[in-house]
Amino acid sequence: MKNTMGLLSLFISIFVFSQTKSVKKYPTKKAVKTVVKKKVEPKVNPDLVVINEEVPVLIPQKKDGKFGYVNQKGKFIIQPEYHIAVFFAEDCNLLNSPNEKIRKFGTKEYATVEKDLISYRIDQSGKRVYQYKNPDLGKCKIEFKQQQYQAYILNGFYGIIEPSKFVNAADYRDYQIYPQYEYLHIMEGDDVSDPMIVASHNDRFGVIDVHNKIIIPFEYSNIKRNFSWKLGKMFEVTKDGTTYYYIDSKNKAY
């Protein structure tokens, strides 16, 4: 009996001792905080003011024989130092370049300028970001857009016809604008159904539309027939035949 009680006491002691042993603690994982990155908004240049959304924020302007760029308030943002400066617009030769790394310089975020017979692309801060190299130039994919209207001369005067509807030159009703101007030129643009038309009347130039509505008064000695309307929705004009500047479709000068 004593042996039995001894064995039982020994068993109970071992059991209690095993239950009182310290439990090994394992380190708990700390919660990982998810860091949400704030979107960095691009810095807006306060000098690139927008008064007229239809025209570029930077406009080529000549001063002392050299070109720079002014904002819509007429303030020079890129100082005049170039022999040539065109609107910020796409360059299809660079967009289709065999060199993929420089294709970005063909976008409308850049403009082409020339100084000392060297051509560059500049950004809106005026920084030269690319110098033209012949091997970099690709082929432009030109999409031909048929003009809806064309100029027509009758008895020495210019008018406008729509070729698809023009049948009888003797019938004034066949003319979109009956010949009455000294000169007409349809400016290239994106909307062939409503083009801007440079016209001359009484030896002065202005701009009309296909309904013979005067858009720009006949007060200029010349209006250049270039890509200024297509690229910048502006006209390059002069009153004295020497000093050219840009105006918008409301005849506001820049």
PDB file of all heavy atoms in Angstrom, residues 226-251:
ATOM      1  N   ASN A 226       0.251  80.992 -94.250  1.00  0.00           N
ATOM      2  CA  ASN A 226       1.115  79.926 -93.739  1.00  0.00           C
ATOM      3  C   ASN A 226       0.305  78.993 -92.851  1.00  0.00           C
ATOM      4  O   ASN A 226      -0.920  78.941 -92.948  1.00  0.00           O
ATOM      5  CB  ASN A 226       2.320  80.527 -92.994  1.00  0.00           C
ATOM      6  CG  ASN A 226       1.897  81.513 -91.906  1.00  0.00           C
ATOM      7  OD1 ASN A 226       0.757  81.478 -91.426  1.00  0.00           O
ATOM      8  ND2 ASN A 226       2.795  82.402 -91.519  1.00  0.00           N
ATOM      9  N   PHE A 227       0.994  78.251 -91.963  1.00  0.00           N
ATOM     10  CA  PHE A 227       0.301  77.266 -91.126  1.00  0.00           C
ATOM     11  C   PHE A 227      -0.103  77.830 -89.758  1.00  0.00           C
ATOM     12  O   PHE A 227      -0.423  77.063 -88.848  1.00  0.00           O
ATOM     13  CB  PHE A 227       1.197  76.042 -90.925  1.00  0.00           C
ATOM     14  CG  PHE A 227       1.353  75.208 -92.171  1.00  0.00           C
ATOM     15  CD1 PHE A 227       2.498  75.299 -92.938  1.00  0.00           C
ATOM     16  CD2 PHE A 227       0.345  74.342 -92.579  1.00  0.00           C
ATOM     17  CE1 PHE A 227       2.647  74.543 -94.084  1.00  0.00           C
ATOM     18  CE2 PHE A 227       0.482  73.581 -93.725  1.00  0.00           C
ATOM     19  CZ  PHE A 227       1.629  73.672 -94.488  1.00  0.00           C
ATOM     20  N   SER A 228      -0.085  79.144 -89.606  1.00  0.00           N
ATOM     21  CA  SER A 228      -0.387  79.727 -88.302  1.00  0.00           C
ATOM     22  C   SER A 228      -1.822  79.424 -87.853  1.00  0.00           C
ATOM     23  O   SER A 228      -2.075  79.237 -86.659  1.00  0.00           O
ATOM     24  CB  SER A 228      -0.152  81.241 -88.327  1.00  0.00           C
ATOM     25  OG  SER A 228      -0.976  81.864 -89.293  1.00  0.00           O
ATOM     26  N   TRP A 229      -2.751  79.371 -88.794  1.00  0.00           N
ATOM     27  CA  TRP A 229      -4.132  79.056 -88.412  1.00  0.00           C
ATOM     28  C   TRP A 229      -4.268  77.582 -88.031  1.00  0.00           C
ATOM     29  O   TRP A 229      -4.903  77.246 -87.031  1.00  0.00           O
ATOM     30  CB  TRP A 229      -5.099  79.408 -89.535  1.00  0.00           C
ATOM     31  CG  TRP A 229      -6.507  78.997 -89.238  1.00  0.00           C
ATOM     32  CD1 TRP A 229      -7.220  77.970 -89.778  1.00  0.00           C
ATOM     33  CD2 TRP A 229      -7.371  79.589 -88.249  1.00  0.00           C
ATOM     34  NE1 TRP A 229      -8.466  77.885 -89.206  1.00  0.00           N
ATOM     35  CE2 TRP A 229      -8.594  78.868 -88.268  1.00  0.00           C
ATOM     36  CE3 TRP A 229      -7.231  80.661 -87.352  1.00  0.00           C
ATOM     37  CZ2 TRP A 229      -9.662  79.188 -87.427  1.00  0.00           C
ATOM     38  CZ3 TRP A 229      -8.302  80.979 -86.514  1.00  0.00           C
ATOM     39  CH2 TRP A 229      -9.491  80.241 -86.562  1.00  0.00           C
ATOM     40  N   LYS A 230      -3.664  76.712 -88.795  1.00  0.00           N
ATOM     41  CA  LYS A 230      -3.758  75.279 -88.525  1.00  0.00           C
ATOM     42  C   LYS A 230      -3.081  74.913 -87.206  1.00  0.00           C
ATOM     43  O   LYS A 230      -3.608  74.132 -86.418  1.00  0.00           O
ATOM     44  CB  LYS A 230      -3.128  74.477 -89.669  1.00  0.00           C
ATOM     45  CG  LYS A 230      -3.212  72.959 -89.482  1.00  0.00           C
ATOM     46  CD  LYS A 230      -2.667  72.230 -90.682  1.00  0.00           C
ATOM     47  CE  LYS A 230      -2.704  70.715 -90.483  1.00  0.00           C
ATOM     48  NZ  LYS A 230      -4.080  70.207 -90.329  1.00  0.00           N
ATOM     49  N   LEU A 231      -1.906  75.497 -86.942  1.00  0.00           N
ATOM     50  CA  LEU A 231      -1.140  75.130 -85.761  1.00  0.00           C
ATOM     51  C   LEU A 231      -1.555  75.884 -84.500  1.00  0.00           C
ATOM     52  O   LEU A 231      -1.500  75.331 -83.401  1.00  0.00           O
ATOM     53  CB  LEU A 231       0.358  75.364 -86.012  1.00  0.00           C
ATOM     54  CG  LEU A 231       1.003  74.546 -87.127  1.00  0.00           C
ATOM     55  CD1 LEU A 231       2.479  74.909 -87.257  1.00  0.00           C
ATOM     56  CD2 LEU A 231       0.852  73.052 -86.865  1.00  0.00           C
ATOM     57  N   GLY A 232      -1.932  77.144 -84.666  1.00  0.00           N
ATOM     58  CA  GLY A 232      -2.178  77.963 -83.483  1.00  0.00           C
ATOM     59  C   GLY A 232      -3.489  78.709 -83.451  1.00  0.00           C
ATOM     60  O   GLY A 232      -3.729  79.486 -82.523  1.00  0.00           O
ATOM     61  N   LYS A 233      -4.353  78.506 -84.468  1.00  0.00           N
ATOM     62  CA  LYS A 233      -5.617  79.237 -84.560  1.00  0.00           C
ATOM     63  C   LYS A 233      -5.372  80.752 -84.485  1.00  0.00           C
ATOM     64  O   LYS A 233      -6.096  81.494 -83.820  1.00  0.00           O
ATOM     65  CB  LYS A 233      -6.571  78.799 -83.440  1.00  0.00           C
ATOM     66  CG  LYS A 233      -7.071  77.357 -83.579  1.00  0.00           C
ATOM     67  CD  LYS A 233      -7.954  77.219 -84.815  1.00  0.00           C
ATOM     68  CE  LYS A 233      -8.540  75.815 -84.943  1.00  0.00           C
ATOM     69  NZ  LYS A 233      -7.549  74.787 -85.291  1.00  0.00           N
ATOM     70  N   MET A 234      -4.317  81.183 -85.195  1.00  0.00           N
ATOM     71  CA  MET A 234      -3.955  82.593 -85.217  1.00  0.00           C
ATOM     72  C   MET A 234      -3.564  82.996 -86.635  1.00  0.00           C
ATOM     73  O   MET A 234      -3.273  82.146 -87.483  1.00  0.00           O
ATOM     74  CB  MET A 234      -2.798  82.874 -84.250  1.00  0.00           C
ATOM     75  CG  MET A 234      -3.041  82.389 -82.838  1.00  0.00           C
ATOM     76  SD  MET A 234      -1.797  82.939 -81.656  1.00  0.00           S
ATOM     77  CE  MET A 234      -2.418  84.581 -81.305  1.00  0.00           C
ATOM     78  N   PHE A 235      -3.556  84.317 -86.869  1.00  0.00           N
ATOM     79  CA  PHE A 235      -3.144  84.854 -88.164  1.00  0.00           C
ATOM     80  C   PHE A 235      -1.927  85.753 -87.963  1.00  0.00           C
ATOM     81  O   PHE A 235      -1.867  86.534 -86.997  1.00  0.00           O
ATOM     82  CB  PHE A 235      -4.278  85.675 -88.788  1.00  0.00           C
ATOM     83  CG  PHE A 235      -5.555  84.900 -88.980  1.00  0.00           C
ATOM     84  CD1 PHE A 235      -6.609  85.039 -88.084  1.00  0.00           C
ATOM     85  CD2 PHE A 235      -5.699  84.014 -90.041  1.00  0.00           C
ATOM     86  CE1 PHE A 235      -7.786  84.325 -88.245  1.00  0.00           C
ATOM     87  CE2 PHE A 235      -6.880  83.299 -90.218  1.00  0.00           C
ATOM     88  CZ  PHE A 235      -7.922  83.447 -89.317  1.00  0.00           C
ATOM     89  N   GLU A 236      -0.970  85.641 -88.877  1.00  0.00           N
ATOM     90  CA  GLU A 236       0.237  86.472 -88.819  1.00  0.00           C
ATOM     91  C   GLU A 236       0.017  87.668 -89.745  1.00  0.00           C
ATOM     92  O   GLU A 236      -0.100  87.513 -90.961  1.00  0.00           O
ATOM     93  CB  GLU A 236       1.463  85.682 -89.242  1.00  0.00           C
ATOM     94  CG  GLU A 236       2.779  86.380 -88.921  1.00  0.00           C
ATOM     95  CD  GLU A 236       3.983  85.495 -89.173  1.00  0.00           C
ATOM     96  OE1 GLU A 236       3.808  84.346 -89.631  1.00  0.00           O
ATOM     97  OE2 GLU A 236       5.107  85.966 -88.915  1.00  0.00           O
ATOM     98  N   VAL A 237      -0.049  88.868 -89.159  1.00  0.00           N
ATOM     99  CA  VAL A 237      -0.477  90.055 -89.904  1.00  0.00           C
ATOM    100  C   VAL A 237       0.529  91.198 -89.780  1.00  0.00           C
ATOM    101  O   VAL A 237       1.399  91.195 -88.905  1.00  0.00           O
ATOM    102  CB  VAL A 237      -1.855  90.544 -89.391  1.00  0.00           C
ATOM    103  CG1 VAL A 237      -2.898  89.435 -89.511  1.00  0.00           C
ATOM    104  CG2 VAL A 237      -1.758  91.010 -87.926  1.00  0.00           C
ATOM    105  N   THR A 238       0.371  92.174 -90.659  1.00  0.00           N
ATOM    106  CA  THR A 238       1.152  93.407 -90.583  1.00  0.00           C
ATOM    107  C   THR A 238       0.317  94.563 -91.115  1.00  0.00           C
ATOM    108  O   THR A 238      -0.514  94.369 -92.018  1.00  0.00           O
ATOM    109  CB  THR A 238       2.461  93.305 -91.384  1.00  0.00           C
ATOM    110  OG1 THR A 238       3.192  94.535 -91.263  1.00  0.00           O
ATOM    111  CG2 THR A 238       2.203  93.038 -92.856  1.00  0.00           C
ATOM    112  N   LYS A 239       0.531  95.723 -90.552  1.00  0.00           N
ATOM    113  CA  LYS A 239      -0.139  96.925 -91.047  1.00  0.00           C
ATOM    114  C   LYS A 239       0.800  97.815 -91.842  1.00  0.00           C
ATOM    115  O   LYS A 239       0.363  98.575 -92.710  1.00  0.00           O
ATOM    116  CB  LYS A 239      -0.748  97.720 -89.884  1.00  0.00           C
ATOM    117  CG  LYS A 239      -1.980  97.052 -89.284  1.00  0.00           C
ATOM    118  CD  LYS A 239      -2.665  97.958 -88.260  1.00  0.00           C
ATOM    119  CE  LYS A 239      -3.968  97.324 -87.776  1.00  0.00           C
ATOM    120  NZ  LYS A 239      -4.703  98.185 -86.816  1.00  0.00           N
ATOM    121  N   ASP A 240       2.108  97.707 -91.551  1.00  0.00           N
ATOM    122  CA  ASP A 240       3.074  98.562 -92.240  1.00  0.00           C
ATOM    123  C   ASP A 240       3.898  97.794 -93.270  1.00  0.00           C
ATOM    124  O   ASP A 240       4.780  98.371 -93.911  1.00  0.00           O
ATOM    125  CB  ASP A 240       4.006  99.238 -91.229  1.00  0.00           C
ATOM    126  CG  ASP A 240       4.801  98.236 -90.382  1.00  0.00           C
ATOM    127  OD1 ASP A 240       4.779  97.022 -90.699  1.00  0.00           O
ATOM    128  OD2 ASP A 240       5.431  98.663 -89.397  1.00  0.00           O
ATOM    129  N   GLY A 241       3.638  96.506 -93.414  1.00  0.00           N
ATOM    130  CA  GLY A 241       4.376  95.708 -94.378  1.00  0.00           C
ATOM    131  C   GLY A 241       5.728  95.223 -93.872  1.00  0.00           C
ATOM    132  O   GLY A 241       6.438  94.513 -94.587  1.00  0.00           O
ATOM    133  N   THR A 242       6.094  95.600 -92.667  1.00  0.00           N
ATOM    134  CA  THR A 242       7.399  95.231 -92.108  1.00  0.00           C
ATOM    135  C   THR A 242       7.273  94.445 -90.808  1.00  0.00           C
ATOM    136  O   THR A 242       7.852  93.367 -90.654  1.00  0.00           O
ATOM    137  CB  THR A 242       8.247  96.488 -91.856  1.00  0.00           C
ATOM    138  OG1 THR A 242       8.406  97.198 -93.091  1.00  0.00           O
ATOM    139  CG2 THR A 242       9.624  96.110 -91.322  1.00  0.00           C
ATOM    140  N   THR A 243       6.520  95.002 -89.874  1.00  0.00           N
ATOM    141  CA  THR A 243       6.373  94.391 -88.560  1.00  0.00           C
ATOM    142  C   THR A 243       5.182  93.435 -88.536  1.00  0.00           C
ATOM    143  O   THR A 243       4.028  93.867 -88.662  1.00  0.00           O
ATOM    144  CB  THR A 243       6.183  95.467 -87.471  1.00  0.00           C
ATOM    145  OG1 THR A 243       7.274  96.381 -87.519  1.00  0.00           O
ATOM    146  CG2 THR A 243       6.107  94.825 -86.087  1.00  0.00           C
ATOM    147  N   TYR A 244       5.492  92.148 -88.372  1.00  0.00           N
ATOM    148  CA  TYR A 244       4.434  91.134 -88.314  1.00  0.00           C
ATOM    149  C   TYR A 244       4.192  90.712 -86.870  1.00  0.00           C
ATOM    150  O   TYR A 244       5.107  90.663 -86.054  1.00  0.00           O
ATOM    151  CB  TYR A 244       4.822  89.903 -89.143  1.00  0.00           C
ATOM    152  CG  TYR A 244       4.613  90.077 -90.631  1.00  0.00           C
ATOM    153  CD1 TYR A 244       5.593  90.666 -91.422  1.00  0.00           C
ATOM    154  CD2 TYR A 244       3.436  89.642 -91.251  1.00  0.00           C
ATOM    155  CE1 TYR A 244       5.411  90.828 -92.795  1.00  0.00           C
ATOM    156  CE2 TYR A 244       3.254  89.796 -92.621  1.00  0.00           C
ATOM    157  CZ  TYR A 244       4.232  90.386 -93.387  1.00  0.00           C
ATOM    158  OH  TYR A 244       4.050  90.538 -94.733  1.00  0.00           O
ATOM    159  N   TYR A 245       2.957  90.383 -86.579  1.00  0.00           N
ATOM    160  CA  TYR A 245       2.591  89.877 -85.255  1.00  0.00           C
ATOM    161  C   TYR A 245       1.353  88.996 -85.416  1.00  0.00           C
ATOM    162  O   TYR A 245       0.743  88.939 -86.503  1.00  0.00           O
ATOM    163  CB  TYR A 245       2.323  91.014 -84.274  1.00  0.00           C
ATOM    164  CG  TYR A 245       1.309  92.040 -84.764  1.00  0.00           C
ATOM    165  CD1 TYR A 245      -0.047  91.929 -84.436  1.00  0.00           C
ATOM    166  CD2 TYR A 245       1.710  93.110 -85.555  1.00  0.00           C
ATOM    167  CE1 TYR A 245      -0.974  92.857 -84.884  1.00  0.00           C
ATOM    168  CE2 TYR A 245       0.786  94.049 -86.011  1.00  0.00           C
ATOM    169  CZ  TYR A 245      -0.546  93.916 -85.674  1.00  0.00           C
ATOM    170  OH  TYR A 245      -1.460  94.835 -86.132  1.00  0.00           O
ATOM    171  N   TYR A 246       0.977  88.326 -84.333  1.00  0.00           N
ATOM    172  CA  TYR A 246      -0.144  87.394 -84.394  1.00  0.00           C
ATOM    173  C   TYR A 246      -1.411  87.999 -83.789  1.00  0.00           C
ATOM    174  O   TYR A 246      -1.359  88.740 -82.806  1.00  0.00           O
ATOM    175  CB  TYR A 246       0.193  86.096 -83.667  1.00  0.00           C
ATOM    176  CG  TYR A 246       1.190  85.238 -84.403  1.00  0.00           C
ATOM    177  CD1 TYR A 246       2.545  85.248 -84.052  1.00  0.00           C
ATOM    178  CD2 TYR A 246       0.791  84.421 -85.469  1.00  0.00           C
ATOM    179  CE1 TYR A 246       3.466  84.457 -84.734  1.00  0.00           C
ATOM    180  CE2 TYR A 246       1.704  83.634 -86.150  1.00  0.00           C
ATOM    181  CZ  TYR A 246       3.036  83.659 -85.783  1.00  0.00           C
ATOM    182  OH  TYR A 246       3.944  82.892 -86.462  1.00  0.00           O
ATOM    183  N   ILE A 247      -2.532  87.646 -84.413  1.00  0.00           N
ATOM    184  CA  ILE A 247      -3.838  88.011 -83.868  1.00  0.00           C
ATOM    185  C   ILE A 247      -4.692  86.747 -83.801  1.00  0.00           C
ATOM    186  O   ILE A 247      -4.456  85.781 -84.527  1.00  0.00           O
ATOM    187  CB  ILE A 247      -4.550  89.080 -84.733  1.00  0.00           C
ATOM    188  CG1 ILE A 247      -4.784  88.533 -86.154  1.00  0.00           C
ATOM    189  CG2 ILE A 247      -3.777  90.379 -84.767  1.00  0.00           C
ATOM    190  CD1 ILE A 247      -5.674  89.412 -87.021  1.00  0.00           C
ATOM    191  N   ASP A 248      -5.686  86.754 -82.907  1.00  0.00           N
ATOM    192  CA  ASP A 248      -6.601  85.620 -82.859  1.00  0.00           C
ATOM    193  C   ASP A 248      -7.829  85.914 -83.717  1.00  0.00           C
ATOM    194  O   ASP A 248      -7.902  86.940 -84.401  1.00  0.00           O
ATOM    195  CB  ASP A 248      -6.981  85.284 -81.408  1.00  0.00           C
ATOM    196  CG  ASP A 248      -7.696  86.434 -80.689  1.00  0.00           C
ATOM    197  OD1 ASP A 248      -8.293  87.301 -81.373  1.00  0.00           O
ATOM    198  OD2 ASP A 248      -7.677  86.458 -79.447  1.00  0.00           O
ATOM    199  N   SER A 249      -8.806  85.039 -83.681  1.00  0.00           N
ATOM    200  CA  SER A 249      -9.973  85.180 -84.550  1.00  0.00           C
ATOM    201  C   SER A 249     -10.889  86.330 -84.124  1.00  0.00           C
ATOM    202  O   SER A 249     -11.827  86.666 -84.853  1.00  0.00           O
ATOM    203  CB  SER A 249     -10.778  83.878 -84.573  1.00  0.00           C
ATOM    204  OG  SER A 249     -11.211  83.524 -83.269  1.00  0.00           O
ATOM    205  N   LYS A 250     -10.585  86.943 -82.981  1.00  0.00           N
ATOM    206  CA  LYS A 250     -11.345  88.114 -82.540  1.00  0.00           C
ATOM    207  C   LYS A 250     -10.568  89.410 -82.801  1.00  0.00           C
ATOM    208  O   LYS A 250     -10.907  90.472 -82.287  1.00  0.00           O
ATOM    209  CB  LYS A 250     -11.702  87.992 -81.050  1.00  0.00           C
ATOM    210  CG  LYS A 250     -12.617  86.820 -80.745  1.00  0.00           C
ATOM    211  CD  LYS A 250     -12.914  86.734 -79.260  1.00  0.00           C
ATOM    212  CE  LYS A 250     -13.897  85.610 -78.954  1.00  0.00           C
ATOM    213  NZ  LYS A 250     -13.447  84.294 -79.385  1.00  0.00           N
ATOM    214  N   ASN A 251      -9.486  89.280 -83.579  1.00  0.00           N
ATOM    215  CA  ASN A 251      -8.631  90.407 -83.971  1.00  0.00           C
ATOM    216  C   ASN A 251      -7.852  90.993 -82.793  1.00  0.00           C
ATOM    217  O   ASN A 251      -7.435  92.152 -82.821  1.00  0.00           O
ATOM    218  CB  ASN A 251      -9.455  91.514 -84.643  1.00  0.00           C
ATOM    219  CG  ASN A 251      -8.609  92.432 -85.517  1.00  0.00           C
ATOM    220  OD1 ASN A 251      -7.583  92.008 -86.061  1.00  0.00           O
ATOM    221  ND2 ASN A 251      -9.014  93.682 -85.650  1.00  0.00           N
TER     222      ASN A 251
END
